[in-house]
Amino acid sequence: TLEPHASSGDDPIVHTGFEFVFCLQGRMTYRVEDHSYVLEPGDSLLFESYLPHRWQNVDTQTSRAILVFCPTVFVVTVMQSW
């Protein structure tokens, strides 16, 4: 749950693995490297988390999203088993 205009801050976030975001309510912006993505209910985004990223609730109402973090080791193992 993100309060109106809440954000991850001015500094980009960087970590290993993959990040999946699914917007449930409201409107939020994800900035991944030099690209901005506006997510509205039903929209999703998947990206490699080593890319500098930030987020912000750009709505005047509360936003809600589901975030799933997946370690790189898990993805490599699954891909090798296919």
Side-chain angles (χ1 to χ4, degrees):
T1 300
L2 305 172
E3 296 301 320
H5 307 293
S7 74
S8 58
D10 293 334
D11 296 326
I13 301 166
V14 175
H15 53 91
T16 60
F18 291 81
E19 191 166 326
F20 172 77
V21 185
F22 183 82
C23 183
L24 297 169
Q25 173 185 329
R27 199 164 59 109
M28 53 196 322
T29 297
Y30 257 78
R31 185 157 181 86
V32 181
E33 283 197 308
D34 297 328
H35 305 282
S36 289
Y37 304 92
V38 177
L39 302 179
E40 296 180 340
D43 291 340
S44 62
L45 181 64
L46 174 67
F47 59 93
E48 293 187 69
S49 306
Y50 75 87
L51 300 171
H53 57 283
R54 301 182 309 193
W55 51 261
Q56 181 179 9
N57 174 356
V58 293
D59 212 342
T60 57
Q61 299 182 13
T62 301
S63 292
R64 293 181 354 161
I66 296 173
L67 275 73
V68 178
F69 302 97
C70 182
T72 305
V73 172
F74 176 78
V75 173
V76 170
T77 303
V78 169
M79 295 300 280
Q80 289 175 346
S81 68
W82 283 5

